[in-house]
Amino acid sequence: MSVATETAAPAPAKPARNRSRLEHRPGLNRWLPYALLAPAVLLELFIHIIPMLVGIWMSFVKLTKFFIANWSAAPSAGLGNYKVALDFNNAVGEGLLKSFGVTVVFSLVTVAFSWVLGMAAAVALQPEFRGRGLVRTLFLVPYALPAYAGILTWNFMLQRDTGAVNHVLEQLHLSDGGTFWLIGSNALISLITVAGWKLWTFAFLTLMAGMQSIPRDLYEAASVDGAGNIRQWRNITLPSLRPVNLVLVLVLFLWTFSDFNTPYVLFGTAQPPAGDLITFHIYNASFLTWNFGTGAAMSVLLLIFLMIVTGAYLLITGRRSRRA
Amino acid sequence: MRETRGFKIYRGVTLTVLGLFVLVPLYVMATSSLKPLKDVQGAFTWWPSNLTLAPFVDMWKTVPLAKYFVNSTIVSVAATVFSVAIAILAAFAVSRFKFRGRTVFTTTVLSTQMFPGVLFLLPLFLIFVNINNQFGLQLVGTRLGLIITYLTFSLPFSIWMLAGYFDSIPRELDEAALVDGCGPMGALWRVVLPAARPGVIAVAIYSFMTAWGEVLFASVMTTEANRTLSVGLRQYSTQTNIYWNQIMAAALVVSVPVVIGFLLAQRHFVAGVTAGAVK
Amino acid sequence: MRLRSLVAAVAATALGISLAACGGGDSDDASGGGSGGDQTLTYWASNQGTSLDNDKEVLTPVLQKFTQDTGIKVNLEVIGWNDLQTRIQTAITSGQAPDVVNIGNTWAASLQATDAFLPFDGDAMTAIGGKDKFVPTALATGGKEGTDPTSVPLYGLAYGLYYNKAMFAAAGLQPPKTWEEMVSAAQKLTNPAKKQWGMALAAGSYTENVHFAFINAAQNKADWFNGDGKPTFTGDGNVQGVLRYLDLMQKDKVANPSNAQYDNGTKSVNDFATKKVAMVINQNNADSSIVANGMKAGEYGVVPFPAPAGGEQVASHVAGINLSVFKNTKHKDAALKFVKYMTDAQTQTTLGKPFSSLPVLKDAKPVFTTDAAEAATFQDVYNTKSKPLPLVPAEDQFESTVGKAMNAMFAKIATGGTVTADDVKAALKTAEDQVAASS
């Protein structure tokens, strides 16, 4: 039978694009894939693509409170909105640049912090031990928790007079218990801690999953050769995880850079300048001040930046866009 | 890794530090929900001055929590089911068929992950309004609008993960089904899906968590009648008092179903992530 | 296979649930379609009482009476303050709006500029009872000067300086009549070791901060916008006014640095009610919170927020709630009847107590408190010592830029930094640029 013939060759570990029976059926195969994709495509168009195009249109138009009631009649602003957003000598542009800087620092530090913790935990849990399942379950709780529940708890803990953090610091004689965590320059540290609290568990999850598929014999062979744990980690674990890490770091960075929930729930309306992340900054510029045109221009700039970062990253790491 | 003494020390230290980091906020959340109001208004204490379940009772009245709960549940469940269904179909097409536009599709879909929400928030709102004016279908201020929005949010990641998972299922299984007389859809339903159960569960969990925890769109697209928990919890801090104990109690109650569900299915979730992420 | 039946079951449930989703309780569309006879107005009310439910309880009998009198039904929704502005914004954007809505009266000029609200021209004004029935300063908040207002006053509010009678008596102090007296009294009553402070400030709330920036600058005879509507934030009077307020925490040290975290007025009122501070400056609707948190009615007194010796006697901005009608309403006459009803003497008296408001009608007596001295003080402030916030379309930008700049300056002071007059001027210049750039 044809099935037997085709499977005569050893099946590769990775699924290769064998010519399978599915592709031998004409007619049906021509329209079926498109039919299967149709719902997803329609939704993506409707919810993501078209609104984004409208958003781009909005960035070229003077859409302020004077025109919002009749928005199709708003006058064109040409590149005016972009000029305002990028003019770093005036207040709006300067604010955007500062916010961008804060967000870059926030993202890099949070991603690094999360990755390090995730890797540390994944390595620590790699060998079996009693209670490993329990610990792993515990570590997944921050990831499972709805974002706002965790952030609200941290908000409560970071209060100056009634919060747990200052209480602990005071008990340990590390401070006088009067530090402000939610205003002033500590706000960025608070943001990083709160965002990292949840993010590291995702890194942990992914890295742990990745480590499970590294063959044991590699480690055993290395042990026989006399390599210590740190060497094994460097020479076996890290390289094997390279594909996972590449995607993981990119995803972590993109998520963190676009994080809206953390500043919104942690700081509410009183956003401290030290913690002014760009997504909230743009939200403020559009919704809270009715300057939808400028806000749209800022969003487009943000999108362009993220695309450039992704493109550069993929180029540098040599990955071509593979099949999803 | 060998379990040397050094390693054991490393493990002990790491697990203690990380364990505390994870546990302390959870502990604070749990104990604060059992504290009387004056405890949370004064200096922090590790243990309530007197244990009380009052916050769990009062929180339903201070803010219409039950209504928010129902809204969130309806929206999240519906968004999850439809998102998973659509993602399965799309992922199957991507994984099993070669067709024109496949790369365009996957690249575009993946790249929508990086759109900042604020960019298409107002335009989406305007489009919904237009649909209402043209076709009479109410989308703003309805659960339907949120469901459609949320299910689309989780599509890219779900399709990516499921396609990767399907890829790891040998085509021989499909072929066996085809030999038995099924069409491709039959192969999907009878053979591929059951084998992909961990992936499907992973994707379902991810979709549910995305919908359950979304804040930005919920804050703009909902009105009091169909408000979800993510926005509703903020109402506690605008009353005449800041009822932190009730906020913690509400946060706990809101999280428990999601966390328990996740932890029960975590085995599948991890397996799904493993196969999907590690190709 | 088990998976198959599970999936089928879940799909069926989801279908059922989403059908429920389409149908269930989410009709929030525009003015109920009435033609002639049985009309229904949609009314969005703001949160004036102790909770959204409380507001509903208070308003429902009032609305029922209106229905009895006129046959017009009213569909009420009460919206909290952190949502109201966004809801109004989306209503304006989408065209799906209620018929009548409460607005914070400081938003009036900005909302007027959107052209989405009905101007109260001669005919409309007559229909609601004529403009002479209102307190002139209150009516002035309804829109830009020289134009037909797009909102009319509904509830009045004003700032007052609340003080703790017992603490003052124990220290042998009289309630202050000038700024300097207020500071010196506060200093005598500040004892951080005993966790007692002279004043509590909502120093993390940008709305509260900008109100005081305005009042203090007004006491210095300074304005924030010139005749052409251009921002003039960096005048000496503005800078000194802001600095004077910041100095309460910085130089005079009568406020706990933790106040920099207080992002709304309820927190500072709480401190006053729990006797941790001797004074608090708040709008007259603080009474219900104060009493709810443990202080008894006779234990506190109120005086006008004082100006420095020789300054203008401005003790408050004209605070309060106005009522607007959306231009695209399908029930214009019914809406105007409703506005007339809500601003009638009897309704005003009924709602005055639960909503702790001051009367917006001339010759009406305040009913929000039984303390005659307090009532007289607030009425005097509202009628004679208050000035409306700038009546320009960029008013909301003024509030958010200047207010948030003050938040940042308070944060700097609280975390140990210093803010000089030059720093204030620079911050106000940035705010001014932001407003100018976005108009």
Side-chain angles (χ1 to χ4, degrees):
Chain A
M1 293 214 279
S2 44
V3 172
T5 336
E6 275 170 319
T7 50
K14 281 214 187 85
R17 294 284 313 163
N18 294 330
R19 300 183 70 63
S20 82
R21 283 205 77 169
L22 281 174
E23 295 181 33
H24 283 272
R25 280 155 145 269
L28 183 65
N29 286 5
R30 215 153 276 154
W31 61 262
L32 186 61
Y34 297 110
L36 291 175
L37 284 184
V41 168
L42 279 173
L43 280 170
E44 282 291 330
L45 270 179
F46 177 50
I47 302 282
H48 271 146
I49 312 281
I50 294 182
M52 202 199 62
L53 293 175
V54 172
I56 295 180
W57 167 79
M58 268 167 52
S59 68
F60 291 111
V61 152
K62 243 178 161 18
L63 201 59
T64 58
K65 69 162 71 76
F66 298 96
F67 293 104
I68 198 69
N70 195 6
W71 50 276
S72 43
S76 163
L79 287 177
N81 290 327
Y82 288 95
K83 288 207 189 109
V84 166
L86 289 172
D87 179 3
F88 301 133
N89 288 327
N90 88 31
V92 173
E94 200 187 325
L96 184 67
L97 186 64
K98 275 205 192 125
S99 174
F100 177 75
V102 169
T103 315
V104 168
V105 171
F106 164 72
S107 305
L108 291 176
V109 175
T110 306
V111 171
F113 173 62
S114 307
W115 189 88
V116 166
L117 289 186
M119 177 62 89
V123 165
L125 262 56
Q126 204 179 8
E128 264 289 347
F129 65 92
R130 241 201 0 205
R132 181 173 87 150
L134 197 63
V135 174
R136 199 177 70 177
T137 308
L138 174 68
F139 282 176
L140 290 182
V141 173
Y143 182 70
L145 214 60
Y148 49 84
I151 304 173
L152 277 177
T153 309
W154 274 101
N155 187 338
F156 180 50
M157 284 173 53
L158 291 169
Q159 298 285 322
R160 184 198 191 217
D161 301 312
T162 57
V165 171
N166 272 350
H167 182 85
V168 166
L169 288 177
E170 196 186 356
Q171 297 285 339
L172 295 176
H173 298 292
L174 288 172
S175 82
D176 62 353
T179 336
F180 283 98
W181 293 105
L182 297 174
I183 58 172
S185 42
N186 284 335
L188 186 59
I189 300 180
S190 305
L191 264 182
I192 293 173
T193 312
V194 175
W197 185 76
K198 189 175 161 86
L199 200 66
W200 85 265
T201 56
F202 181 76
F204 162 65
L205 181 67
T206 313
L207 289 171
M208 192 179 61
M211 281 188 197
Q212 279 177 358
S213 56
I214 303 180
R216 292 301 203 80
D217 6 338
L218 286 179
Y219 288 111
E220 275 154 23
S223 298
V224 163
D225 282 349
N229 276 333
I230 299 186
R231 187 101 77 83
Q232 288 182 23
W233 180 73
R234 262 225 308 261
N235 292 352
I236 302 173
T237 318
L238 271 190
S240 312
L241 283 178
R242 197 180 130 89
V244 175
N245 268 331
L246 289 180
V247 177
L248 177 66
V249 169
L250 180 64
V251 165
L252 287 180
F253 183 79
L254 292 178
W255 277 355
T256 312
F257 206 84
S258 320
D259 190 356
F260 179 83
N261 290 349
T262 311
Y264 186 60
V265 178
L266 191 61
F267 297 126
T269 46
Q271 297 285 322
D276 183 18
L277 295 191
I278 201 157
T279 40
F280 194 90
H281 189 94
I282 296 177
Y283 173 77
N284 192 13
S286 27
F287 276 84
L288 301 183
T289 59
W290 297 78
N291 282 323
F292 300 107
T294 327
M298 293 182 189
S299 306
V300 171
L301 290 173
L302 175 63
L303 177 64
I304 293 177
F305 170 72
L306 292 176
M307 278 167 34
I308 292 179
V309 163
T310 309
Y313 183 86
L314 292 179
L315 221 68
I316 294 176
T317 59
R319 262 167 98 82
R320 292 172 17 230
S321 55
R322 307 164 43 140
R323 73 204 248 128
Chain B
M1 292 286 160
R2 275 207 308 186
E3 295 205 28
T4 61
R5 214 174 101 82
F7 183 80
K8 288 204 174 123
I9 296 180
Y10 163 78
R11 179 167 64 199
V13 169
T14 311
L15 294 190
T16 312
V17 168
L18 289 176
L20 281 177
F21 187 43
V22 168
L23 268 178
V24 170
L26 299 178
Y27 176 83
V28 169
M29 185 197 287
T31 49
S32 305
S33 65
L34 296 168
K35 284 182 178 167
L37 188 60
K38 61 175 170 53
D39 272 8
V40 294
Q41 286 180 325
F44 178 77
T45 54
W46 287 106
W47 192 251
S49 61
N50 64 312
L51 272 171
T52 163
L53 283 177
F56 285 98
V57 173
D58 298 334
M59 69 183 190
W60 300 99
K61 289 190 306 228
T62 311
V63 146
L65 194 63
K67 181 167 64 172
Y68 300 156
F69 225 108
V70 167
N71 286 334
S72 272
T73 310
I74 292 181
V75 166
S76 302
V77 168
T80 303
V81 169
F82 287 110
S83 177
V84 169
I86 296 177
I88 288 177
L89 296 179
F92 186 64
V94 164
S95 165
R96 291 299 192 245
F97 293 84
K98 198 156 70 175
F99 55 92
R100 282 263 290 271
R102 210 174 118 258
T103 339
V104 170
F105 175 76
T106 53
T107 331
T108 319
V109 157
L110 257 193
S111 61
T112 60
Q113 280 284 74
M114 74 171 95
F115 287 4
V118 282
L119 176 59
F120 57 97
L121 177 59
L122 183 68
L124 185 62
F125 177 77
L126 292 177
I127 291 176
F128 278 3
V129 165
N130 259 328
I131 291 188
N132 189 10
N133 292 339
Q134 301 276 23
F135 302 111
L137 177 66
Q138 181 99 356
L139 287 174
V140 180
T142 63
R143 289 176 224 148
L144 180 62
L146 267 190
I147 292 173
I148 295 180
T149 311
Y150 287 167
L151 84 89
T152 317
F153 281 1
S154 37
L155 270 184
F157 184 78
S158 305
I159 296 177
W160 177 72
M161 162 129 359
L162 276 179
Y165 208 86
F166 287 171
D167 281 350
S168 70
I169 295 173
R171 282 150 176 281
E172 288 72 31
L173 288 181
D174 290 51
E175 283 155 27
L178 288 173
V179 164
D180 284 348
C182 303
M185 296 310 297
L188 169 66
W189 187 244
R190 269 176 222 277
V191 169
V192 178
L193 264 193
R197 199 158 79 137
V200 171
I201 293 181
V203 158
I205 291 177
Y206 171 78
S207 299
F208 187 83
M209 283 168 52
T210 307
W212 191 259
E214 204 281 329
V215 170
L216 177 59
F217 282 76
S219 69
V220 170
M221 300 280 192
T222 59
T223 61
E224 178 62 22
N226 40 61
R227 180 151 302 158
T228 54
L229 287 167
S230 47
V231 182
L233 282 194
R234 285 176 57 212
Q235 312 272 53
Y236 283 107
S237 58
T238 57
Q239 308 300 316
T240 39
N241 248 322
I242 319 291
Y243 298 106
W244 275 117
N245 54 349
Q246 289 182 27
I247 297 179
M248 291 294 107
L252 203 63
V253 164
V254 156
S255 310
V256 159
V258 179
V259 172
I260 292 187
F262 180 84
L263 295 181
L264 283 179
Q266 60 151 309
R267 209 171 21 108
H268 299 293
F269 188 76
V270 173
V273 170
T274 314
V278 184
K279 297 183 279 274
Chain C
M1 296 187 176
R2 285 232 326 259
L3 177 68
R4 195 148 51 118
S5 27
L6 174 68
V7 169
V10 173
T13 321
L15 201 58
I17 287 180
S18 28
L19 287 178
C22 298
D26 35 22
S27 51
D28 182 70
D29 53 11
S31 23
S35 49
D38 231 8
Q39 292 188 72
T40 311
L41 286 178
T42 308
Y43 171 44
W44 285 0
S46 54
N47 174 213
Q48 303 302 121
T50 52
S51 73
L52 302 183
D53 278 333
N54 173 245
D55 281 42
K56 255 206 162 115
E57 276 170 28
V58 169
L59 283 171
T60 305
V62 171
L63 299 178
Q64 276 170 348
K65 182 166 183 303
F66 175 70
T67 311
Q68 266 181 329
D69 291 345
T70 60
I72 305 171
K73 296 203 200 65
V74 180
N75 190 354
L76 168 70
E77 186 180 345
V78 182
I79 304 178
W81 281 106
N82 57 348
D83 283 328
L84 184 59
Q85 204 167 18
T86 320
R87 292 288 300 278
I88 294 179
Q89 217 174 41
T90 50
I92 296 176
T93 314
S94 63
Q96 295 184 325
D99 297 287
V100 188
V101 63
N102 283 10
I103 65 170
N105 68 352
T106 56
W107 305 340
S110 312
L111 292 179
Q112 184 183 43
T114 64
D115 207 30
F117 294 94
L118 191 71
F120 285 90
D121 57 11
D123 291 329
M125 199 53 101
T126 319
I128 64 166
K131 70 175 168 48
D132 291 328
K133 72 177 188 178
F134 295 108
V135 171
T137 31
L139 187 59
T141 62
K144 196 165 156 187
E145 219 174 314
T147 64
D148 285 328
T150 49
S151 63
V152 292
L154 182 62
Y155 309 124
L157 291 167
Y159 277 105
L161 179 65
Y162 287 78
Y163 67 95
N164 184 320
K165 282 188 179 160
M167 286 187 198
F168 266 67
L173 295 166
Q174 288 296 321
K177 293 202 189 54
T178 66
W179 181 276
E180 293 79 11
E181 280 179 30
M182 180 183 80
V183 171
S184 120
Q187 281 173 324
K188 292 206 182 77
L189 292 168
T190 299
N191 192 342
K194 282 207 289 190
K195 297 210 185 267
Q196 182 180 298
W197 294 84
M199 297 184 76
L201 308 171
S205 159
Y206 75 88
T207 45
E208 294 288 315
N209 279 337
V210 73
H211 291 164
F212 292 115
F214 174 77
I215 299 171
N216 281 16
Q219 290 169 344
N220 292 356
K221 298 195 184 54
D223 275 317
W224 294 87
F225 288 86
N226 63 17
D228 299 321
K230 297 262 171 290
T232 55
F233 295 177
T234 50
D236 214 33
N238 309 71
V239 172
Q240 289 301 324
V242 170
L243 188 59
R244 186 164 77 234
Y245 188 67
L246 293 172
D247 274 342
L248 286 173
M249 188 189 280
Q250 178 169 238
K251 196 166 55 111
D252 311 318
K253 299 204 195 297
V254 298
N256 186 341
S258 291
N259 287 178
Q261 282 179 136
Y262 286 1
D263 60 355
N264 64 46
T266 49
K267 298 182 182 170
S268 40
V269 169
N270 253 346
D271 278 359
F272 179 76
T274 48
K275 304 189 178 143
K276 295 195 187 100
V277 305
M279 288 184 273
V280 72
I281 318 160
N282 204 283
Q283 298 182 15
N284 58 298
N285 52 5
D287 282 35
S288 40
S289 309
I290 295 178
V291 166
N293 280 308
M295 224 168 170
K296 293 200 225 350
E299 290 179 310
Y300 61 90
V302 183
V303 291
F305 177 54
E312 279 283 297
Q313 290 302 313
V314 178
S316 175
H317 71 290
V318 183
I321 311 297
N322 285 8
L323 200 53
S324 275
V325 176
F326 270 90
K327 221 185 215 178
N328 63 0
T329 173
K330 297 191 178 67
H331 310 280
K332 182 170 159 188
D333 291 323
L336 289 176
K337 281 209 184 94
F338 182 70
V339 172
K340 175 169 196 292
Y341 174 74
M342 291 298 281
T343 53
D344 260 349
Q346 200 186 12
T347 319
Q348 287 278 305
T349 315
T350 313
L351 294 174
K353 182 136 197 353
F355 291 162
S356 294
S357 60
L358 294 168
V360 298
L361 300 175
K362 268 187 211 162
D363 314 321
K365 290 257 159 287
V367 294
F368 72 98
T369 176
T370 46
D371 180 340
E374 189 188 342
T377 307
F378 273 116
Q379 189 168 34
D380 173 54
V381 167
Y382 188 68
N383 291 0
T384 64
K385 294 193 176 73
S386 62
K387 187 175 169 193
L389 281 173
L391 296 165
V392 294
E395 192 279 335
D396 53 351
Q397 311 247 32
F398 155 66
E399 279 197 39
S400 70
T401 53
V402 172
K404 288 178 182 174
M406 286 177 74
N407 277 11
M409 288 190 277
F410 266 120
K412 191 166 171 202
I413 295 172
T415 49
T418 11
V419 172
T420 63
D422 285 331
D423 293 327
V424 174
K425 190 163 187 175
L428 289 179
K429 177 90 179 63
T430 309
E432 187 181 279
D433 288 342
Q434 284 170 328
V435 172
S438 332
S439 327

